[in-house]
Amino acid sequence: MQYFIGNWKMFGVPRSINILNKINSFSSRDKNRNKYRIIITPPYTLIESFANRFKDKKIMIGSQNCYQKNQFSSDTSAISPYMIKSVGAKYTLVGHSDNRAEGDTNTMLKDKVSFALKNNLKVVFCIGENKSQKRNNKTFKVLKKQLTKVLKKKFDKKSIIVAYEPIWSIGTGKIPNQQDLLKTIIHIKKVLKTIFRSKSPAVLYGGSVDEDNIDMLRKIREIDGFLIGGASKSSKKFIDIIRNYYR
Ligand code: 13P
């Protein structure tokens, strides 16, 4: 099963559902439709209406983040996994580099994963090195630490997906070369195998994925799917990514 996840970030109003209508009508007729899953993470404001619209459809809706508490609290503006689940989301991202930059610590991330799983949300846990860590050959060490500090054996591995998103690649048009990316995905899967003491969960790649570079990325069979930012805001680009993947 391949994953094509579209992360809309701070984008979208109610009429943006048209983008998803187009993706839905493509994927419901696509001959490869049983080979992949589409998940879209719109902003909180749109989760409920989108989830209702695509109930029992090919597209599933997720959240871009969740708060590190279970249900209700007195934290102004916070949205808990329980609240997200209650409006129909099936997934949540945790640990996106945008949120790490805003102060998400490993302890917070561990609580987010734990409470999300408790509320039956599947978790897409994001990791990735920055430019200077890459330049100093720290990538493997950084990724291992990000994984081992947060993911624990007691977590249900079947509800966790890991997304490798090098920070220097997000929104820059730059992607890792094929050889480096293959090695990194293998490294991540090895670390995950050690944590869970069994087969690795799915590992995705994210960072400037588009309808052109998918041609190179698809050759790396160890990649179980993609977390797509900018290109997921265009139905044409998102559909072309899937089309070109199965070409
Ligand atoms: P871009 O595809 O725009 O580089 O964004 C990647 C990302 O951050 C998805 O979560």
Side-chain angles (χ1 to χ4, degrees):
M1 177 68 70
Q2 288 293 121
Y3 292 88
F4 294 92
I5 307 184
N7 177 13
W8 277 13
K9 309 187 184 182
M10 197 179 86
F11 167 82
V13 288
R15 69 166 183 280
S16 313
I17 201 160
N18 289 332
I19 298 169
L20 298 195
N21 285 335
K22 286 181 193 153
I23 295 172
N24 183 55
S25 63
F26 159 77
S27 63
S28 54
R29 283 182 270 123
D30 182 17
K31 65 176 190 307
N32 294 308
R33 65 183 175 276
N34 294 324
K35 299 184 186 154
Y36 59 86
R37 179 166 289 182
I38 294 175
I39 301 152
I40 302 291
T41 64
Y44 289 128
T45 46
L46 298 173
I47 291 177
E48 181 170 17
S49 58
F50 284 14
N52 282 338
R53 164 71 181 85
F54 295 107
K55 209 177 243 172
D56 311 318
K57 294 278 191 310
K58 180 84 195 155
I59 296 179
M60 286 193 250
I61 301 300
S63 168
Q64 297 172 17
N65 196 3
C66 65
Y67 198 64
Q68 58 275 12
K69 287 186 184 170
N70 186 34
Q71 190 178 19
F72 300 135
S73 75
S74 53
D75 300 278
T76 301
S77 92
I79 300 192
S80 67
Y82 175 81
M83 291 155 77
I84 293 163
K85 177 73 183 179
S86 77
V87 289
K90 299 272 193 292
Y91 287 80
T92 183
L93 306 185
V94 170
H96 191 281
S97 62
D98 288 342
N99 305 120
R100 289 178 189 261
E102 284 160 1
D104 273 12
T105 63
N106 286 326
T107 312
M108 284 156 67
L109 296 175
K110 200 161 80 182
D111 286 343
K112 288 180 188 218
V113 174
S114 170
F115 287 126
L117 295 175
K118 245 186 209 137
N119 283 283
N120 292 317
L121 287 166
K122 292 191 193 300
V123 169
V124 181
F125 181 59
C126 307
I127 57 170
E129 83 285 4
N130 65 27
K131 207 162 151 183
S132 92
Q133 290 162 335
K134 179 182 162 58
R135 204 181 313 116
N136 295 311
N137 284 321
K138 296 259 162 58
T139 300
F140 279 22
K141 211 173 141 195
V142 168
L143 298 177
K144 185 174 178 184
K145 196 166 167 197
Q146 289 175 336
L147 290 167
T148 53
K149 291 276 175 200
V150 174
L151 298 183
K152 299 291 160 195
K153 186 176 183 296
K154 63 173 188 216
F155 292 159
D156 176 17
K157 187 195 79 169
K158 290 193 293 299
S159 298
I160 295 176
I161 295 170
V162 168
Y164 168 55
E165 297 204 295
I167 297 170
W168 51 270
S169 168
I170 296 175
T172 60
K174 292 191 189 116
I175 61 167
N177 72 48
Q178 194 172 342
Q179 206 53 31
D180 283 354
L181 186 50
L182 172 63
K183 282 190 201 148
T184 310
I185 298 288
I186 290 173
H187 170 72
I188 293 168
K189 289 195 168 177
K190 214 165 99 188
V191 175
L192 288 167
K193 264 185 224 161
T194 315
I195 295 173
F196 293 110
R197 290 186 219 128
S198 66
K199 200 170 164 281
S200 166
V203 177
L204 320 185
Y205 169 75
S208 295
V209 175
D210 65 26
E211 65 282 22
D212 297 322
N213 60 30
I214 194 71
D215 197 45
M216 180 283 266
L217 294 167
R218 70 199 276 267
K219 298 193 178 109
I220 309 175
R221 304 317 289 185
E222 284 76 4
I223 298 178
D224 303 303
F226 303 93
L227 181 50
I228 303 157
S232 71
K233 296 183 277 187
S234 149
S235 55
K236 180 170 171 6
K237 285 186 182 178
F238 194 78
I239 291 167
D240 280 348
I241 289 172
I242 298 176
R243 261 200 198 117
N244 292 345
Y245 183 87
Y246 290 104
R247 189 149 53 194

